[in-house]
């Protein structure tokens, strides 16, 4: 039931540092693609002023529930079944959206769903945060991400490390203005936008 992700253990602290800076002082944070549920438990404990709403496709909900049960935190909500492709989404309004290591996993139409959903759900001034590997038209992809991209595509031809400029254009089309893009350990990025 309870899955363990080594990468979550490695990146949770550095992601938390950015979240502490960019998330609002209160409100509900929707996490899309919560995976094991480790990040949800860690962030909810570290950010008690926020309500953490994990979500994922059905197969991951048991692990998220197990991490939630163990954490026993009042601000960590029962995970929602949220498949980017299944509309309507089971939420109508949240104060922030967080999506970690998922943009390179889902197909490009899935990324489009993520950003149209963010544009629909977020009120003016709300933040959308993503974390993961990105390529940039202005510089070569790092060798580690080149290799990761090949691995991803061999597994699923529709996945892959996304071009920042494509993702940012999609965000812009959905009323999200770039607010930050920060280098993170292991050639990852934290990128966030503010809804107009
Ligand atoms: C690499 S995992 C990242 C999980 C977690 N955020 C982390 O950092 O460990 C990618 C996540 O995307 C989720 N995912 C894939 N397709 C999805 C979809 N159509 N809708 C919502 N989530 C999806 C997977 O279930 C998985 O939890």
């Amino acid at each position: 039931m309870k899955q363990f992700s080594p990468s979550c253990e490695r990146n949770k602290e550095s992601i938390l540092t950015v979240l502490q800076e960019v998330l609002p002082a209160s409100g509900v944070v929707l996490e899309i693609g919560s995976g094991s549920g480790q990040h949800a438990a860690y962030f909810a404990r570290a950010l008690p002023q926020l309500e953490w709403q994990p979500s994922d496709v059905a197969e991951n909900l048991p692990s998220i529930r197990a991490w939630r049960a163990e954490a026993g935190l009042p601000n960590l909500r029962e995970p929602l079944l949220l498949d980017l492709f299944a509309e309507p989404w089971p939420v109508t309004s949240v104060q922030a959206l967080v999506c970690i290591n998922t943009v390179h996993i889902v197909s490009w139409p899935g990324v489009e769903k993520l950003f149209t959903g963010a544009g629909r759900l977020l009120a003016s001034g709300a933040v959308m945060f993503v974390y993961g590997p990105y390529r940039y038209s202005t510089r070569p992809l790092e060798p580690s991400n080149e290799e990761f991209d090949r691995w991803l595509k061999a597994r699923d031809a529709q996945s892959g490390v996304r071009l920042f400029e494509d993702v940012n254009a999609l965000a812009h089309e959905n009323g999200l203005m770039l607010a930050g893009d920060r280098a993170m350990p292991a050639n990852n990025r934290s990128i966030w936008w503010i809804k107009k």
Side-chain angles (χ1 to χ4, degrees):
M1 282 282 181
K2 190 176 158 211
Q3 303 294 314
F4 180 81
S5 154
S7 72
C8 282
E9 282 310 297
R10 287 194 298 272
N11 61 29
K12 65 183 186 183
E13 246 182 82
S14 56
I15 297 175
L16 175 63
T17 304
V18 186
L19 292 181
Q20 281 166 328
E21 197 184 310
V22 307
L23 291 180
S26 62
V28 179
V29 180
L30 172 65
E31 183 187 18
I32 292 187
S34 295
S36 65
Q38 266 161 278
H39 278 148
Y42 182 75
F43 297 147
R45 179 169 284 111
L47 303 164
Q49 72 282 11
L50 294 170
E51 288 276 318
W52 201 268
Q53 176 61 75
S55 73
D56 210 313
V57 296
E59 71 186 74
N60 283 329
L61 298 186
S63 179
I64 303 169
R65 288 196 191 104
W67 279 90
R68 176 175 180 265
E70 190 182 87
L73 297 165
N75 64 326
L76 179 52
R77 294 185 170 183
E78 175 72 14
L80 291 172
L81 171 58
L82 193 160
D83 182 327
L84 289 167
F85 292 96
E87 284 168 11
W89 288 5
V91 268
T92 49
S93 155
V94 293
Q95 281 64 57
L97 203 152
V98 166
C99 186
I100 298 170
N101 275 334
T102 295
V103 166
H104 59 274
I105 296 294
V106 298
S107 62
W108 183 252
V111 183
E112 290 175 329
K113 293 281 184 196
L114 173 66
F115 280 87
T116 50
R120 190 171 63 233
L121 284 187
L122 298 176
S124 174
V127 71
M128 153 111 185
F129 170 93
V130 301
Y131 169 94
Y134 286 84
R135 59 172 79 242
Y136 292 76
S137 62
T138 49
R139 55 180 187 259
L141 190 59
E142 303 86 0
S144 61
N145 281 335
E146 219 24 287
E147 193 183 321
F148 184 47
D149 186 54
R150 273 196 298 274
W151 180 84
L152 285 166
K153 289 186 169 121
R155 199 177 131 268
D156 173 359
Q158 296 218 66
S159 68
V161 175
R162 307 295 173 195
L163 184 66
F164 163 79
E165 288 85 352
D166 287 347
V167 175
N168 192 36
L170 185 56
H172 199 266
E173 280 164 31
N174 288 285
L176 296 154
M177 304 294 111
L178 185 66
D181 177 7
R182 189 170 300 171
M184 300 293 285
N187 295 323
N188 286 296
R189 309 293 300 185
S190 278
I191 307 174
W192 61 101
W193 294 266
I194 302 288
K195 179 78 190 295
K196 249 199 298 192

